[in-house]
């Protein structure tokens, strides 16, 4: 498969035209990088967003499981990802407890 290229110096990005707001990527993200955002302009009333890119650890769980191929993670050779910290784990738990919505 061709290598996906995204914006420079961005660990993870979302194609908002493809996202079907299923929450799956947010439910799998261990670092609190992602969250759902409400908005009347979105077809389903919400969309996945990269809220805190500096927390992304490059685990690829979001990209591997997105049913709509809407989320992409930078290559490990192109980006220095963060380490998973207790703060990031806690943030991920808070987002999950908030029904995947942004805090
Ligand atoms: S898994 Fe894909 S389709 Fe589902 S919310 Fe995330 S980016 Fe959107
Ligand atoms: S690569 Fe991992 S840490 Fe980064 S946004 Fe996707 S699920 Fe979260």
């Amino acid at each position: 498969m061709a290598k996906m290229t995204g914006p420079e110096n961005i660990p993870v990005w979302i194609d908002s035209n493809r996202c079907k707001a299923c929450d799956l990527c947010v439910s799998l993200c261990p670092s609190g990088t992602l969250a759902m955002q409400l908005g009347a302009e979105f077809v389903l009333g919400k969309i996945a967003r990269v809220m805190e890119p500096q927390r992304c650890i490059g685990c690829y769980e979001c990209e591997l499981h997105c049913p709509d191929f809407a989320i992409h993670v930078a290559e490990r050779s192109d980006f220095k990802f963060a380490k998973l910290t207790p703060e990031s784990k806690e943030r991920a738990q808070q987002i999950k407890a908030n029904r995947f919505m942004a805090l």
Side-chain angles (χ1 to χ4, degrees), residues 4-15 25-26 29 31-35 48-64 66 70-75 79-81:
M4 181 74 68
T5 53
E8 261 183 63
N9 292 321
I10 300 281
V12 54
W13 61 100
I14 294 168
D15 181 344
C25 57
V26 180
C29 180
S31 67
T33 299
L34 308 173
R49 288 283 195 224
V50 180
M51 294 294 181
E52 298 208 353
Q54 75 279 10
R55 295 183 184 275
C56 179
I57 63 169
C59 67
Y60 295 95
E61 288 292 316
C62 54
E63 180 176 311
L64 289 170
C66 175
I71 185 161
H72 307 285
V73 182
E75 297 287 326
F79 193 85
K80 189 171 185 342
F81 291 97

Side-chain angles (χ1 to χ4, degrees), residues 14 18-26 36 48 62 65-68 70-71:
I14 294 168
R18 298 186 77 113
C19 175
K20 302 294 192 306
C22 70
D23 301 340
L24 191 56
C25 57
V26 180
M36 303 305 294
C62 54
H65 291 92
C66 175
D68 293 291
I71 185 161

